[in-house]
Amino acid sequence: MRQYILFKDALKGLWKENPVFRQLLGMCPTLAVTNAAIFGLSMGLATFFVLLCSSIIISIFRRVFPHQVRIASFVVIIATFVTVVDLFLKGNFPEISKALGPYVPLIVVNCLILGRQEVFASKNPLHRAVADALGMGIGFTLALIALASIRELLGSGTIFGVQILTLVGEGGRFRPWIIMLLPAGAFLTLGTMIGISNFFTGRAAKKSACH
Amino acid sequence: MRIRSFRGGVHPPEEKITSQKPIQELPLPKKVVIPLSQHTGVPARPTVKVGDRVKTGQRIGEAQGPISSNIHTSISGKITSIENHPHPLGPPSLAITIESDGRDEHHPSVKHNNDYFKLHPNEIREIVRGAGIVGLGGAAFPTHVKLSPPEDRWIDTVILNGCECEPYLTCDHRLMIEKTYEIIEGLKIIAKTLEVTSCYVGIEKNKEDAIKAMREEIRNKANMEIVSLKTKYPQGSEKQLIEAILNRKVPSGGLPLDVGVVVQNVGTALAISEAVKKGRPLIERVITVTGRGIKNPANLRVRMGTLFKDMIDYCGGFAGKPGKIIMGGALMGFAQHTLDVPVIKGTTGILLLTEDEVNIEEPQPCIKCARCVDSCPIYLLPLYLGIYGEKELWRKCEELGALDCTECGCCAYICPARIPLVQLIKLAKQEIAAYRKKK
Amino acid sequence: MKEEHFLVSTSPHIRSAEDIPKIMYAVIIALIPVAIASIYFFRLWAIKLMAVCIITAMGTEDIFQRLRKKDITVFDGSAIITGLLLAFILPPSLPLWAASLGTFFAIALGKQIFGGLGYNIFNPALLGRAFLMATFPVLMTTWTKPFSLDVVTSATPLAQMKFAQSFVSHQSLFLGNVSGSLGETSALAILIGASFLLIRKIIDWRIPAGYLGTVVLLSSIFWFIDPKGFADPLWHLLAGGLILGAFFMAPDMVTTPVTKRGRWVFGIGCGLILIVIRSWSGLPEGVMYSILLMNAITPLINRFTHPRIFGEQK
Amino acid sequence: MKIMSDTVKMIAVLTIVGLISGGFLTFVYEQTISKAERKSLESLRKAIFVVLPEAVDYQELKLADQILYQGIDKSGQKVGLAFLVEGSGFQGKIEIMVGVDQDLSRLQNIQVLESVETPGLGGKITDQEFQDQFKGIAARPKITYVRNRNPVTPKKPGEIDAITGATISSKAVADMINKEIVRVWEALQ
């Protein structure tokens, strides 16, 4: 039974309560950095790391924080881990750090993270908080990779830098859709994907209603 | 001279097919049904009972309260029932049915008054009230009320409304040609009653012969003017008429009184003259039976309470398959579900549309062409009233001035998406009234 | 006499003859001279491009209406107009697949997503072009010379003015013998179609008047101050897509204000934005963005230009 | 008394959280910053050697308000100057390392270090193809650009091809280099 709950905590973040497609959380990095799959992956992992670490800390010390200052404390803890990620990227992957620009520090205000702390980690024991953070983090990362892959594929013909569609200039027939690399392309792709996700969940809901 | 008019409005096809047909007298009907509510305000109270014998012009219903009107029998005969009967303006309501004795004997109260020009205004008001005269242009507002403005109101102008801007209808047009003298006589009586000095008669430009006849009649009368107006619907709506002739604007929610004007229909002027001079109460009127759905369209003088089917029979019956029977004009009239309804004081005409003229089109989405905005003579935004009406956002409708709507129908006429704007606005007005009452 | 069954409904009992398909087809008729001119100047390119755009527009409309389980209104003419107008504002040599993609987006994103005809905020054809412009900027700025079926790149008159300070003659601009989008080159053909629309009162003259009037006024002022740096007003009027935009795009009913005052504001706003873009921005042409921007603030204009109700006290 | 202890607890928790976090970050910072700085310095060095191909070493020259990198080859000869050029492009800041001859007459090479131009359009200024155009062209009187060049016409001295569809970005690059060369030249006088 206990395992089942943990399983559910972890799985819900992947599809049913996917932070990007279902909860529309963390839109700022979702839209800003997903013009190449590698950036999507990096941003996803960075967020994942911050989410996991702060969930652990906050879940462990959840009874320590006085109610009135809990948000302030959460923000300090989150900001700490964000700074760690930011410094880590700057030191080891300057290229990616440059590309992600201000969006790494902005993880501090990503409502996904603060939201999970407030509704879940600060109210549940460690193992459940970890399961939730894993699910949400992986769900977020996968969503970002999916978005970024579509945009990279249509915008440059590559995924993770690997040429999939051959460009016109290189003997192929594909012309990159530049809009996909622009912010407008992020809205288009996200909108379409949310639409598709709604279409399927809507159908599933109808089906289950029939049974 | 510039043709005077108002801003907005539409130009529906005129269809005045009976404009050159002289008024015919409809033979005395065998039976009349006289509803007790033929006017704006409280229904009259019956003063007769089943089995009574009545004579033409005898009062059979008594006005109740200040805004109400007397009812008279239009034929002589026997009262056979006093019960609910189909009414042209709504659900069945109390009506007095009279079987004719064929003699058309006049009641002794109907008598000429040779000294009518010596009457005091208050005496005239009393005669008008007693004769049960109401506005004959369609709204049927009791005339004696209009002739008795509150003491603190300064009335300086009387306007006779001879516009007849609705398509098809020609009864006022014919009256102005055939009863020119009596109409002007009526206008003089109204002017005298209200003690005003300036009188206008507004006539649309498409009735040149009527304008000519009326001009002829008022020659050498300094305080009267016949104003030729642009042919445009709703030129005959009070507010628009006043705007066109005097360039005064009746305030929102106000009455013509507020700008010192009284407007009367030409038919009403005739009825006043008849009542004052001949002592005849309002028991007959001229209506236009017209449309492609009738064999012989005509202008008829009919007794109140005559059933529609009698008139349609007289005009040769239906031509083709009838689709819609409308009491009144094409733009503001009321569709009837039966021919068993009587002519009432506010009946200006019977319009029969054939089946192929009546096609119900599914409303399409509004494309915001704003033709309704351009045509609205009250400067509302009908399209938004429609949009909010459909969503039942009545308070939004109120903010947009739904209560100012005169239901002239310009917006719905012009709408290319066939949205039933008037219907939605009417509904909005009811809902707004309902929640205002609750408060 | 037999009792018949009569129809009962609220007034008014007659309706004007004009309905939505009639309005739409009137616009299509007005576009015929432009179509003829574009075929004359760009030959096969024009025919292919128009066909592809119209077919894609109707197909997309059909698919979306089926998916949303709505009535199929492919033949009410509005999709045809969107397709045709979009074709007119594309470069003649644009690959057909790109035109098709753009049309799909115009209908899907510009119209159906908002709920179909009447609900869209932006002019669908212009949105389709904006999408293509952002997606394939190189293809969208590759122009062909009139009368040639080979892709000989040549700059549009506006680009020549902006980047090389050279001017094409007024006469060429008026007749349309210049490079540019399919349907925008011939002012003459557009004016023929536009006069039909104005006479039939399908479009409100206030929007083109406000738009063109503002452009003429402002360009006259700038030209007067600095005749070398700015083009003369007539040239501004005839070059680029201004005339096409002013008569066929800007007055689109769905996306423009509903009051007369609002339409003046709309037209003048378009003119201001156009002159700013043409004179000081990095883009040679600004018709598309000027109209799209004004489309965006149309609800705001509507809000602030409510007419005062008859007899309403101040 | 209860309220008092609550307030104390709040302050205490926040202080402790802040202290721990601060201390932890100081540690991480110490660990990473030297690495990050080293990396960025390295990329600057690399860029200098790219734009001054003959140089094996460089010296920093500090002028009034800018830093010039004096390239030196194996034999200790001065082989050119390198400097950073900054300006705004179509969407934001562009930073370029520029290498010029000692007398500022000829460009040796350029390298775009930072740009946020439209990907696929203005973004092409970071493409090798675009940057290579600047190799060895005359820097004076000024660098010019042409749009839609007819392939047959030969390039004039100091001329580059603008990127199709991204005239603004190309123009920005040319303009900012022109401006900076003038500034450096004036500063050296």
Side-chain angles (χ1 to χ4, degrees):
Chain A
M1 191 61 209
R2 209 175 126 187
Q3 262 169 348
Y4 177 70
I5 288 177
L6 280 185
F7 219 61
K8 238 173 73 176
D9 282 344
L11 275 183
K12 67 177 189 283
L14 296 186
W15 175 253
K16 225 176 88 193
E17 288 179 27
N18 185 290
V20 174
F21 299 135
R22 306 301 309 165
Q23 301 187 64
L24 305 190
L25 287 175
M27 286 294 106
C28 162
T30 305
L31 294 168
V33 303
T34 52
N35 55 13
I38 185 73
F39 300 147
L41 174 68
S42 319
M43 178 50 81
L45 288 179
T47 313
F48 183 21
F49 169 80
V50 175
L51 179 60
L52 186 62
C53 294
S54 40
S55 284
I56 291 171
I57 301 286
I58 287 166
S59 177
I60 292 173
F61 296 107
R62 66 185 185 279
R63 288 180 224 283
V64 178
F65 304 116
H67 185 74
Q68 300 91 323
V69 294
R70 72 188 192 290
I71 300 283
S73 318
F74 297 168
V75 172
V76 174
I77 292 163
I78 294 166
T80 308
F81 289 110
V82 170
T83 316
V84 169
V85 172
D86 194 29
L87 290 172
F88 172 80
L89 285 175
K90 274 210 178 97
N92 297 293
F93 304 99
E95 288 304 308
I96 290 176
S97 165
K98 225 181 225 175
L100 298 183
Y103 296 102
V104 175
L106 277 176
I107 296 175
V108 177
V109 288
N110 187 330
C111 31
L112 166 64
I113 294 176
L114 196 58
R116 289 331 288 177
Q117 308 316 330
E118 174 67 7
V119 302
F120 208 92
S122 62
K123 291 179 184 140
N124 287 291
L126 179 63
H127 58 277
R128 288 195 64 187
V130 170
D132 178 72
L134 280 173
M136 289 294 157
I138 293 171
F140 187 73
T141 311
L142 288 179
L144 254 57
I145 293 175
L147 258 174
S149 301
I150 294 174
R151 289 180 65 189
E152 192 183 339
L153 181 68
L154 289 174
S156 345
T158 59
I159 291 180
F160 281 108
V162 179
Q163 201 78 36
I164 309 278
L165 300 164
T166 338
L167 304 185
V168 168
E170 291 153 20
R173 305 194 55 182
F174 179 71
R175 260 179 209 276
W177 300 19
I178 286 160
I179 196 172
M180 281 300 161
L181 303 177
L182 304 177
F187 283 103
L188 282 181
T189 320
L190 180 68
T192 312
M193 292 184 74
I194 291 173
I196 293 170
S197 130
N198 278 344
F199 185 73
F200 281 114
T201 28
R203 248 187 15 180
K206 253 183 228 156
K207 246 186 204 163
S208 65
C210 285
H211 285 299
Chain B
M1 197 186 86
R2 137 195 117 83
I3 300 171
R4 288 188 260 190
S5 190
F6 62 98
R7 217 176 78 201
V10 291
H11 297 276
E14 291 174 22
E15 305 279 8
K16 305 275 193 188
I17 42 186
T18 51
S19 66
Q20 297 311 317
K21 296 200 172 163
I23 299 169
Q24 294 172 312
E25 187 83 33
L26 183 81
L28 214 56
K30 290 206 173 57
K31 178 181 103 170
V32 293
V33 179
I34 300 179
L36 286 158
S37 172
Q38 300 188 25
H39 46 263
T40 310
V42 189
R45 184 175 56 85
T47 54
V48 287
K49 52 186 191 299
V50 177
D52 283 2
R53 294 211 156 266
V54 289
K55 285 183 178 165
T56 310
Q58 184 180 342
R59 195 178 72 179
I60 53 173
E62 192 186 5
Q64 295 287 300
I67 301 187
S68 182
S69 183
N70 288 336
I71 304 284
H72 303 80
T73 168
S74 56
I75 54 172
S76 62
K78 201 175 103 186
I79 293 174
T80 55
S81 76
I82 302 178
E83 56 193 22
N84 280 349
H85 189 272
H87 190 280
L89 293 180
S93 67
L94 205 59
I96 300 174
T97 307
I98 302 156
E99 286 300 349
S100 174
D101 56 12
R103 289 201 293 261
D104 195 22
E105 263 182 279
H106 280 60
H107 193 261
S109 63
V110 181
K111 57 173 191 286
H112 281 251
N113 180 351
N114 293 326
D115 294 334
Y116 69 92
F117 43 86
K118 288 183 191 156
L119 291 170
H120 182 268
N122 280 341
E123 289 173 295
I124 296 173
R125 285 185 188 113
E126 202 39 57
I127 293 171
V128 169
R129 202 183 75 82
I133 295 176
V134 300
L136 296 185
F141 190 80
T143 302
H144 64 92
V145 182
K146 268 192 179 178
L147 293 183
S148 322
E151 291 290 327
D152 55 336
R153 292 305 163 101
W154 178 255
I155 304 295
D156 63 355
T157 309
V158 171
I159 295 177
L160 265 201
N161 186 349
C163 288
E164 204 161 47
C165 54
E166 278 263 18
Y168 291 103
L169 301 183
T170 57
C171 51
D172 290 353
H173 182 182
R174 290 314 305 173
L175 279 178
M176 285 188 285
I177 292 170
E178 296 179 27
K179 297 277 182 185
T180 323
Y181 175 79
E182 287 83 350
I183 291 171
I184 297 297
E185 191 84 288
L187 175 58
K188 279 193 235 162
I189 296 169
I190 298 168
K192 189 182 170 194
T193 314
L194 290 166
E195 294 163 328
V196 301
T197 44
S198 63
C199 301
Y200 296 90
V201 185
I203 306 173
E204 272 190 350
K205 195 115 181 34
N206 59 351
K207 295 180 250 304
E208 284 293 353
D209 45 356
I211 296 174
K212 210 172 140 228
M214 296 286 277
R215 286 226 167 108
E216 197 76 5
E217 190 60 44
I218 61 150
R219 238 179 349 179
N220 307 327
K221 292 195 175 86
N223 63 340
M224 286 192 187
E225 192 191 327
I226 309 296
V227 184
S228 159
L229 298 163
K230 194 170 172 189
T231 308
K232 181 161 76 167
Y233 179 85
Q235 186 65 265
S237 170
E238 273 186 352
K239 289 182 175 184
Q240 277 61 49
L241 189 63
I242 296 169
E243 185 194 359
I245 294 181
L246 299 171
N247 200 20
R248 296 183 195 171
K249 286 201 173 175
V250 178
S252 160
L255 291 169
L257 284 180
D258 297 324
V259 290
V261 182
V262 166
V263 179
Q264 292 291 354
N265 179 265
V266 287
T268 318
L270 174 66
I272 290 172
S273 138
E274 298 261 305
V276 173
K277 273 165 70 181
K278 300 183 188 161
R280 258 177 104 82
L282 186 59
I283 54 169
E284 61 180 7
R285 65 159 299 149
V286 176
I287 68 164
T288 308
V289 182
T290 182
R292 289 197 180 71
I294 191 96
K295 275 221 177 75
N296 309 311
N299 295 300
L300 299 177
R301 185 187 318 278
V302 301
R303 300 291 167 100
M304 298 296 171
T306 309
L307 295 176
F308 278 25
K309 56 184 171 207
D310 294 343
M311 286 174 288
I312 290 167
D313 284 345
Y314 179 78
C315 291
F318 295 128
K321 206 163 161 26
K324 218 180 203 181
I325 311 295
I326 298 151
M327 188 199 89
L331 282 146
M332 285 187 83
F334 294 85
Q336 305 297 323
H337 61 90
T338 166
L339 292 176
D340 196 28
V341 287
V343 167
I344 58 170
K345 291 175 182 175
T347 307
T348 48
I350 301 173
L351 172 59
L352 288 100
L353 298 179
T354 60
E355 203 173 37
D356 35 310
E357 282 178 295
V358 181
N359 44 343
I360 301 231
E361 287 166 283
E362 271 297 299
Q364 283 169 298
C366 172
I367 56 165
K368 317 221 164 41
C369 67
R371 280 165 168 67
C372 55
V373 180
D374 294 346
S375 70
C376 181
I378 307 291
Y379 321 146
L380 300 173
L381 298 172
L383 79 158
Y384 289 120
L385 290 171
I387 290 168
Y388 293 134
E390 259 168 20
K391 292 182 185 154
E392 307 192 352
L393 298 168
W394 310 122
R395 265 163 221 278
K396 282 268 186 191
C397 292
E398 189 182 1
E399 277 168 34
L400 288 175
L403 293 181
D404 280 278
C405 174
T406 57
E407 299 170 20
C408 68
C410 287
C411 49
Y413 167 78
I414 203 87
C415 179
R418 307 297 189 232
I419 297 167
L421 291 163
V422 176
Q423 202 176 333
L424 289 164
I425 297 172
K426 275 183 182 170
L427 192 63
K429 283 163 91 172
Q430 286 168 15
E431 295 285 341
I432 294 166
Y435 75 63
R436 277 198 175 173
K437 214 169 172 185
K438 228 186 269 169
K439 240 188 328 197
Chain C
M1 187 165 61
K2 193 169 99 267
E3 239 350 70
E4 303 272 352
H5 204 77
F6 305 122
L7 185 78
V8 178
S9 67
T10 46
S11 59
H13 304 289
I14 51 170
R15 298 298 196 115
S16 76
E18 202 165 69
D19 57 11
I20 291 178
K22 273 195 186 136
I23 293 176
M24 295 296 171
Y25 283 103
V27 176
I28 294 173
I29 290 169
L31 284 170
I32 288 174
V34 190
I36 292 171
S38 70
I39 293 171
Y40 175 70
F41 287 119
F42 298 105
R43 307 292 150 102
L44 208 55
W45 290 114
I47 297 172
K48 280 194 205 160
L49 207 55
M50 285 190 275
V52 163
C53 286
I54 291 174
I55 291 167
T56 315
M58 293 171 82
T60 312
E61 184 118 321
D62 186 86
I63 291 169
F64 266 81
Q65 286 177 336
R66 273 175 214 279
L67 281 178
R68 296 181 59 227
K69 301 195 172 59
K70 298 259 165 165
D71 296 338
I72 313 282
T73 57
V74 173
F75 289 99
D76 69 357
S78 64
I80 301 177
I81 293 179
T82 301
L84 202 55
L85 278 179
L86 181 59
F88 286 160
I89 48 177
L90 296 176
S93 59
L94 189 76
L96 296 178
W97 59 265
S100 182
L101 185 73
T103 317
F104 172 79
F105 268 82
I107 296 282
L109 211 70
K111 187 171 164 193
Q112 290 298 338
I113 286 244
F114 292 102
L117 179 65
Y119 297 101
N120 48 314
I121 297 169
F122 297 103
N123 185 316
L126 288 175
L127 208 69
R129 186 189 141 92
F131 169 80
L132 284 175
M133 194 70 198
T135 309
F136 308 112
V138 176
L139 290 180
M140 288 295 286
T141 46
T142 306
W143 307 100
T144 27
K145 284 210 173 79
F147 305 119
S148 72
L149 283 179
D150 316 315
V151 188
V152 181
T153 49
S154 87
T156 61
L158 278 168
Q160 283 177 32
M161 179 199 89
K162 185 138 216 156
F163 299 109
Q165 269 78 40
S166 73
F167 297 98
V168 179
S169 82
H170 289 121
Q171 195 198 342
S172 309
L173 284 175
F174 184 69
L175 295 175
N177 189 10
V178 291
S179 64
S181 296
L182 197 60
E184 72 178 24
T185 60
S186 172
L188 178 67
I190 299 164
L191 288 175
I192 293 170
S195 48
F196 170 75
L197 284 188
L198 287 171
I199 290 166
R200 283 277 324 266
K201 292 194 175 158
I202 302 283
I203 56 171
D204 191 336
W205 58 274
R206 288 170 186 82
I207 291 176
Y211 197 168
L212 301 176
T214 309
V215 169
V216 168
L217 184 74
L218 287 179
S219 56
S220 304
I221 294 171
F222 293 134
W223 183 57
F224 190 71
I225 296 169
D226 178 12
K228 285 218 182 75
F230 293 94
D232 65 88
L234 188 61
W235 199 90
H236 260 296
L237 216 53
L238 296 174
L242 178 56
I243 301 227
L244 184 70
F247 287 106
F248 288 97
M249 310 276 181
D252 166 40
M253 296 160 182
V254 180
T255 56
T256 48
V258 296
T259 60
K260 288 172 180 161
R261 257 192 314 156
R263 290 184 213 134
W264 277 118
V265 174
F266 185 92
I268 293 168
C270 282
L272 283 173
I273 297 172
L274 178 84
I275 286 291
V276 168
I277 293 180
R278 277 193 182 174
S279 303
W280 293 289
S281 85
L283 301 160
E285 178 59 306
V287 172
M288 172 175 84
Y289 293 114
S290 71
I291 298 174
L292 284 176
L293 279 170
M294 290 310 287
N295 282 165
I297 63 163
T298 289
L300 216 61
I301 300 177
N302 275 336
R303 222 185 135 126
F304 287 108
T305 54
H306 271 199
R308 203 148 54 84
I309 296 168
F310 187 98
E312 198 180 24
Q313 310 293 323
K314 265 179 203 153
Chain D
M1 195 58 213
K2 181 86 171 76
I3 297 166
M4 196 55 206
S5 76
D6 261 8
T7 317
V8 170
K9 195 181 163 198
M10 265 157 56
I11 294 169
V13 168
L14 272 182
T15 315
I16 292 164
V17 168
L19 281 177
I20 294 174
S21 138
F24 181 59
L25 280 183
T26 317
F27 172 72
V28 178
Y29 184 77
E30 289 296 326
Q31 293 296 306
T32 52
I33 195 61
S34 53
K35 215 169 163 183
E37 264 176 2
R38 218 172 46 235
K39 287 224 170 178
S40 87
L41 201 66
E42 208 169 285
S43 66
L44 191 75
R45 274 174 67 89
K46 264 197 208 148
I48 293 169
F49 294 129
V50 167
V51 300
L52 297 175
E54 290 161 34
V56 290
D57 196 7
Y58 69 92
Q59 288 174 345
E60 277 183 31
L61 296 178
K62 283 207 169 65
L63 275 128
D65 58 343
Q66 68 214 102
I67 300 168
L68 294 182
Y69 304 101
Q70 174 66 65
I72 296 164
D73 73 358
K74 268 178 281 185
S75 50
Q77 295 283 322
K78 291 176 175 177
V79 288
L81 294 165
F83 45 86
L84 275 176
V85 172
E86 258 183 39
S88 41
F90 186 64
Q91 287 196 331
K93 196 172 103 173
I94 298 177
E95 202 180 71
I96 308 168
M97 181 65 84
V98 176
V100 290
D101 282 0
Q102 204 62 34
D103 59 355
L104 299 174
S105 64
R106 207 172 58 95
L107 283 184
Q108 293 196 357
N109 202 355
I110 67 162
Q111 186 169 32
V112 179
L113 297 178
E114 224 181 292
S115 117
V116 284
E117 298 303 277
T118 321
L121 275 181
K124 283 191 185 154
I125 61 168
T126 56
D127 285 5
Q128 205 52 49
E129 201 186 326
F130 177 76
Q131 297 183 17
D132 281 350
Q133 292 194 75
F134 291 84
K135 262 189 191 159
I137 62 168
R140 275 189 285 174
K142 64 175 188 177
I143 302 162
T144 53
Y145 64 93
V146 248
R147 302 172 80 246
N148 300 326
R149 173 197 299 282
N150 186 335
V152 192
T153 30
K155 281 190 183 181
K156 290 190 208 110
E159 202 172 69
I160 57 149
D161 285 336
I163 298 161
T164 320
T167 316
I168 303 264
S169 304
S170 320
K171 183 176 186 294
V173 171
D175 285 353
M176 69 179 80
I177 296 175
N178 284 331
K179 218 167 102 192
E180 195 65 17
I181 288 177
V182 172
R183 245 163 58 100
V184 171
W185 192 76
E186 275 167 1
L188 284 173
Q189 292 308 303

